[in-house]
Amino acid sequence: MAGIKLVPEVTKINFLGLRKVALVISVCLILFSIGLLITRGLNFGIDFEGGILMEVETSQPADLSDMRRRMNDLNLGDFSLQEFGASNIVLVRLQSQEGGEAEQQQAIEAVRSVMPADAQYRRVEFVGPTVGNELITAG
């Protein structure tokens, strides 16, 4: 039984002849990356900028697409939902709200209003930007 030959027995690829083209492409990509870094900056997450972190447990496997749709309707800014260990545990991350403690509590209540009725909140935390500043400085 003959095997399939994907690579010919004798290959002649001129890698050294293509080094100049590869160098030009690499330099262009590096300059493009530096340009994006200067114009757009870094995209820091909730760990650096601060925000709300909620761990929600539901009685049945969580429907993340429905939860995302409902969260999007709240217009609370950037957020992320992800399964956390099991299919019925969801980690909700929400950007810090403008204002003080009252606005953070309103955002938490708004999120609770769109979660399933049987949801249990294992933890609800507000992460301040002070820790993020320390992480940026140490990094």
Side-chain angles (χ1 to χ4, degrees):
M1 188 161 155
I4 299 174
K5 290 187 177 185
L6 296 176
V7 179
E9 298 222 6
V10 178
T11 58
K12 292 186 177 183
I13 301 173
N14 187 7
F15 287 107
L16 290 178
L18 299 175
R19 72 183 184 278
K20 291 180 182 177
V21 173
L23 179 67
V24 169
I25 292 172
S26 295
V27 168
C28 288
L29 288 174
I30 290 169
L31 293 175
F32 180 70
S33 298
I34 292 171
L36 283 177
L37 184 62
I38 291 170
T39 58
R40 295 189 179 223
L42 296 174
N43 183 13
F44 294 116
I46 187 174
D47 298 332
F48 294 98
E49 293 183 351
I52 299 168
L53 179 70
M54 300 174 71
E55 189 176 332
V56 182
E57 182 176 1
T58 59
S59 61
Q60 298 180 6
D63 183 4
L64 291 180
S65 63
D66 182 51
M67 286 182 178
R68 281 189 184 101
R69 182 183 53 75
R70 290 176 181 213
M71 288 280 298
N72 200 31
D73 292 343
L74 294 175
N75 295 322
L76 293 174
D78 289 337
F79 67 90
S80 70
L81 298 174
Q82 68 183 59
E83 287 184 358
F84 188 66
S87 63
N88 66 328
I89 300 174
V90 179
L91 193 64
V92 179
R93 292 182 178 150
L94 183 64
Q95 81 176 34
S96 180
Q97 303 301 302
E98 295 293 325
E101 182 84 21
E103 285 75 10
Q104 307 307 321
Q105 289 299 326
Q106 287 175 352
I108 291 170
E109 291 306 317
V111 171
R112 286 185 175 178
S113 71
V114 298
M115 290 293 156
D118 64 343
Q120 295 179 352
Y121 300 92
R122 299 172 92 186
R123 68 179 168 154
V124 178
E125 300 173 357
F126 175 71
V127 180
T130 305
V131 176
N133 290 336
E134 291 174 3
L135 289 172
I136 291 171
T137 304

